[in-house]
């Protein structure tokens, strides 16, 4: 009987020792290697999709500024009732929408040191701070000046060109396209008076996204 009690005590001690060792092992294992809970992806409510950044649609990119190579600028002249009218257009010939400055007017270029009696008048106000021009679309303006001598003395023929500043320090030059077809020219001519007191007035309208009448 004493032997059986001794055997039971030894077995019980072994069981307790194994249990204790297991508890100690488990304690140090989980303390040093904690189990992280699985994180479920956020579910966005159907009524508030903006609450989750992963479902937010990015804003479309703004059109870039036009390069001169993206555009074609032309002017076509016709005479009517003693006045020459020129229709100007700046067309996007690229495959992407782009922007040009809108707070400006087409510029008449000529030798201002030799000719001092031309008065350029800008008609209207810039209609937009910036124009977005889609592929194949254009913006427009109008120029007009007297047709033929309007002088009390002799006349001078003045060679001129037209340009537009599409971006700071980037100018686009207009090609003179004959209305009946033919070779385009970089410039055109207008009549000024020889006498300095005789003024020739040239009017240029603001740009518009609608064709000039």
């Amino acid at each position: 009987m004493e032997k059986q009690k001794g055997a039971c005590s030894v077995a019980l001690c072994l069981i307790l020792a194994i249990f204790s060792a297991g508890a100690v092992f488990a304690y140090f294992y989980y303390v040093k290697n904690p189990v992280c809970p699985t994180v479920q992806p956020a579910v966005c409510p159907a009524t508030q999709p903006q609450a989750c950044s992963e479902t937010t649609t990015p804003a479309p990119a703004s059109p870039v500024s036009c390069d001169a190579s993206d555009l074609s600028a032309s002017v076509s002249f016709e005479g009517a009732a003693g006045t020459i009218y020129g229709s100007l257009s700046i067309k996007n010939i690229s495959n992407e929408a782009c922007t040009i400055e809108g707070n400006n007017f087409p510029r008449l270029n000529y030798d201002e040191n030799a000719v001092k009696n031309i008065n350029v008048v800008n008609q209207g106000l810039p209609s937009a701070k910036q124009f977005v021009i889609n592929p194949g679309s254009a913006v427009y303006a109008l120029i007009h000046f007297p047709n033929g001598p309007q002088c009390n003395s002799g006349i001078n023929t003045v060679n001129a060109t037209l340009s537009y500043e599409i971006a700071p320090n980037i100018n686009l030059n207009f090609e003179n396209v004959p209305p009946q077809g033919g070779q385009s020219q970089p410039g055109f001519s207008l009549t000024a008076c020889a006498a300095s007191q005789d003024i020739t007035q040239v009017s240029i309208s603001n740009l518009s996204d609608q064709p000039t009448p």
Side-chain angles (χ1 to χ4, degrees):
M1 191 68 177
E2 294 294 331
K3 289 184 179 179
Q4 287 181 350
K5 286 184 178 181
C8 289
S9 297
V10 171
L12 181 59
C13 290
L14 286 173
I15 291 171
L16 291 173
I18 292 171
F19 179 82
S20 299
V24 171
F25 174 81
Y27 174 80
F28 282 102
Y29 178 83
Y30 285 107
V31 167
K32 301 217 178 256
N33 301 280
V35 177
C36 296
T38 303
V39 178
Q40 297 295 327
V43 177
C44 298
T47 57
Q48 294 181 321
Q50 69 275 14
C52 298
S53 59
E54 57 267 26
T55 62
T56 302
T57 302
S62 299
V64 299
S65 297
C66 299
D67 290 327
S69 59
D70 296 327
L71 305 169
S72 173
S74 63
V75 56
S76 181
F77 292 100
E78 290 186 352
T83 302
I84 298 291
Y85 291 91
S87 297
L88 291 77
S89 67
I90 299 175
K91 183 178 181 180
N92 184 350
I93 58 174
S94 74
N95 296 320
E96 302 289 340
C98 60
T99 65
I100 65 170
E101 295 291 321
N103 55 353
N104 208 345
F105 289 83
R107 177 178 173 82
L108 180 70
N109 308 295
Y110 59 95
D111 187 351
E112 296 184 30
N113 292 321
V115 181
K116 300 184 181 295
N117 56 349
I118 290 179
N119 183 36
V120 178
V121 177
N122 291 328
Q123 291 186 323
L125 296 172
S127 55
K129 182 177 180 181
Q130 189 179 67
F131 285 100
V132 178
I133 310 179
N134 291 313
S137 297
V139 291
Y140 308 90
L142 184 68
I143 180 174
H144 62 89
F145 48 86
N147 179 16
Q150 308 273 324
C151 310
N152 295 319
S153 58
I155 61 171
N156 290 326
T157 299
V158 179
N159 295 318
T161 62
L162 287 162
S163 62
Y164 187 80
E165 191 174 46
I166 60 172
N169 301 317
I170 301 178
N171 287 289
L172 184 68
N173 296 316
F174 289 82
E175 286 284 318
N176 176 13
V177 179
Q180 305 301 324
Q183 184 67 38
S184 298
Q185 301 292 329
F188 59 97
S189 61
L190 56 88
T191 299
C193 300
S196 60
Q197 68 271 19
D198 292 334
I199 306 298
T200 297
Q201 181 165 298
V202 178
S203 298
I204 302 176
S205 74
N206 58 286
L207 288 183
S208 171
D209 55 6
Q210 299 297 318
T212 54

